[in-house]
Amino acid sequence: MSSDKFSKIGFILSIVGAAIGLGNAWKFPYMVGANGGSAFVLLYLVFAVAVGLSIFFAEMAMGKISNSDPVNAFRSLAPKNGKFWGYAGVIMITGVLVASFYTVIIGWVIRYSVLSLGELPQSIAVSGENFGKFIGSDISGQILYFSIAFAAYFFILSKGIKGGIERINLWLLPTLFLLLIFMLIYSMQMGGFSQAAEFLLVPDFSKITSEAVFVALGLAFFTMCVGIGAIATYSVSLDDKTNLFTSSLYVVALNIIVSVVIGLIVFTFVFEYGEQPSQGVGLAFISLPTLFAKLGAMGNVLSFTFFTALIFAGLTSAISMVEPLVFYLINEFKIPRLGAIAIVGVCVYCLGTLCALSNITEFKDALTFFGKGFFDVLDYLSSNIMLPLGGIVIAVFVGYAMKRGSLEELFLPYMGRAVFEIWYFLLRFVAPICILAIMIRQILGS
């Protein structure tokens, strides 16, 4: 893998692709609108730097200095008890768990992209019924579209870092941006655009409550793609000439810009037709198709464009979730890349199939554990426990176990002494406490 290097732009786009996911289409815009507009964005930015970016740099340091996968990075960089720290590499399993149910959702998006070419639902009731039937009783449809999504990004993975991951991001991310610009320009011609802009961008500091602070903190952590080893894995293949500091800032900026643009597009249609912003997948799969339907043939074009953009966002994220485990299998067991991909692929496909079946009425009871369907179990385990735990472990390891001198040698040429000291303080004292607070709140809140 050492000869298979990212270019600077390839690395930035690949990390941006990892960070920009399906949640950008509904979760980020809704949270911004419900928690104070741009006042919430400012709060999010503070936490993105203090927590998300500090862990981001820590993961990057692990990958660059060790030149290895997450497990062996922990082992080789620990001054003592390397074998013990190696167990911390289990964080990369989180990516496989997330990819399993995430691929099911990408399958839903692919289906809706196809449906956009036909007659769109004319009412919320019909749209909701169609979506409910699809995930609740259409076994063949669910498995078909899940399989298409699965095959797409595992084929990309098989082509390696330069020929697969970088190349697909060099194509998909600019195409995603162009599709979003097209939809943004169209939405700017609509009356609902001014309401959407006010909803998302006008500060309302009265809505900044303790709840909003926690939401911003959690969002800053989860949207940076940290805690699963993806950043460490990608950093191994980063060209030594790349400016680590500015590249990371580009990732944060592009992630926020894309999220806000998608929000402006989505809520323009929501306000244009008098609907209420709603959280969750219902906004994309139930409300929006009916709003596009009101525009006739142009609605079909916009619907297809929107869901195609979501496919691109989903695929680039899914790739980053499974690459750490693939890289580990190659390094640890000297397995050819295709063999490692096959092993990980079998795991993802089996778990993903169970996730899809757990939504089907006739299998729901058999796939329910502790009151949650298998889909929700994987979501809960990864989001509430594994991801925050991974973030804490990385912060503690890099902040306390790794040699400070190695970190200075890596980052001082890019950051300077003052910025380095701030980052190191945030990593050691602020990030672990904040992430622990997220974890406790996630568990108690559910």
Side-chain angles (χ1 to χ4, degrees):
M1 191 168 175
S2 58
S3 62
D4 197 11
K5 294 284 189 180
F6 280 119
S7 64
K8 177 181 177 180
I9 186 64
F11 175 76
I12 292 172
L13 288 180
S14 295
I15 297 296
V16 170
I20 296 172
L22 298 178
N24 292 69
W26 54 77
K27 192 172 185 179
F28 184 93
Y30 176 82
M31 286 184 171
V32 171
N35 291 283
S38 59
F40 178 83
V41 173
L42 293 175
L43 193 61
Y44 165 82
L45 276 172
V46 171
F47 287 130
V49 172
V51 180
L53 198 56
S54 62
I55 305 293
F56 187 98
F57 282 131
E59 267 204 57
M60 182 181 285
M62 290 180 64
K64 282 296 292 179
I65 296 172
S66 71
N67 198 39
S68 191
D69 58 85
V71 172
N72 287 297
F74 278 112
R75 287 176 183 165
S76 62
L77 297 175
K80 55 183 178 179
N81 297 324
K83 184 176 180 181
F84 167 77
W85 274 111
Y87 293 119
V90 74
I91 61 172
M92 63 189 175
I93 300 298
T94 308
V96 175
L97 299 182
V98 176
S100 299
F101 66 83
Y102 198 80
T103 309
V104 175
I105 302 176
I106 299 174
W108 299 349
V109 177
I110 294 173
R111 177 181 184 267
Y112 270 72
S113 181
V114 173
L115 291 179
S116 298
L117 301 175
E119 184 178 354
L120 296 171
Q122 299 296 315
S123 70
I124 294 290
V126 172
S127 185
E129 184 180 354
N130 290 345
F131 182 67
K133 283 182 179 178
F134 173 63
I135 66 170
S137 59
D138 189 355
I139 299 176
S140 59
Q142 282 247 49
I143 299 301
L144 171 64
Y145 288 107
F146 162 73
S147 299
I148 293 172
F150 170 87
Y153 73 84
F154 270 91
F155 173 75
I156 295 165
L157 281 168
S158 72
K159 299 299 180 180
I161 295 294
K162 194 81 176 175
I165 297 174
E166 176 172 321
R167 178 175 291 180
I168 202 66
N169 279 291
L170 285 173
W171 281 97
L172 291 191
L173 265 296
T175 305
L176 168 63
F177 298 153
L178 289 174
L179 292 175
L180 292 179
I181 289 171
F182 166 71
M183 292 196 70
L184 180 64
I185 292 172
Y186 186 88
S187 65
M188 289 173 72
Q189 318 303 314
M190 303 174 72
F193 183 80
S194 59
Q195 286 178 272
E198 181 178 355
F199 183 68
L200 287 173
L201 302 177
V202 175
D204 184 355
F205 291 100
S206 66
K207 290 185 178 180
I208 300 300
T209 61
S210 58
E211 173 72 12
V213 171
F214 267 107
V215 170
L217 179 57
L219 196 61
F221 175 71
F222 289 115
T223 55
M224 287 294 289
C225 194
V226 293
I228 62 174
I231 307 303
T233 300
Y234 279 5
S235 296
V236 175
S237 297
L238 178 59
D239 191 282
D240 293 336
K241 297 177 182 178
T242 301
N243 187 313
L244 305 179
F245 186 62
T246 55
S247 296
S248 303
L249 295 181
Y250 289 145
V251 170
V252 176
L254 286 171
N255 190 32
I256 293 172
I257 290 170
V258 169
S259 296
V260 172
V261 168
I262 292 177
L264 287 171
I265 295 166
V266 169
F267 289 119
T268 292
F269 286 92
V270 169
F271 289 125
E272 178 76 10
Y273 296 108
E275 298 292 341
Q276 292 299 314
S278 60
Q279 190 174 16
V281 296
L283 181 62
F285 295 115
I286 298 175
S287 300
L288 280 179
T290 64
L291 303 186
F292 288 136
K294 298 178 187 294
L295 294 171
M298 190 61 199
N300 290 92
V301 173
L302 292 172
S303 180
F304 180 78
T305 302
F306 177 75
F307 285 109
T308 300
L310 289 195
I311 292 170
F312 293 171
L315 289 177
T316 54
S317 290
I319 289 166
S320 68
M321 295 172 192
V322 296
E323 176 63 19
L325 184 55
V326 169
F327 188 33
Y328 167 70
L329 293 176
I330 294 171
N331 271 5
E332 185 72 8
F333 302 105
K334 310 305 177 188
I335 301 173
R337 183 172 182 85
L338 290 180
I341 289 171
I343 293 171
V344 177
V346 168
C347 295
V348 170
Y349 196 83
C350 290
L351 291 173
T353 300
L354 291 175
C355 286
L357 293 178
S358 69
N359 293 319
I360 302 294
T361 305
E362 59 194 275
F363 296 103
K364 187 171 289 187
D365 290 341
L367 292 171
T368 297
F369 308 92
F370 310 107
K372 295 179 182 291
F374 191 76
F375 186 109
D376 296 321
V377 168
L378 290 193
D379 186 8
Y380 178 87
L381 182 62
S382 56
S383 300
N384 293 16
I385 299 174
M386 297 288 286
L387 272 171
L389 193 59
I392 293 172
V393 167
I394 290 170
V396 170
F397 178 76
V398 177
Y400 294 94
M402 275 183 67
K403 295 177 181 177
R404 177 184 167 116
S406 299
L407 298 171
E408 291 180 342
E409 186 179 345
L410 178 67
F411 286 133
L412 281 181
Y414 306 110
M415 292 183 176
R417 173 64 64 181
V419 175
F420 177 86
E421 294 296 344
I422 294 172
W423 165 70
Y424 200 57
F425 174 81
L426 291 173
L427 180 70
R428 300 183 80 200
F429 301 108
V430 177
I433 295 172
C434 288
I435 298 170
L436 183 61
I438 295 170
M439 188 175 181
I440 293 171
R441 183 179 178 274
Q442 293 275 76
I443 293 173
L444 295 180
S446 56

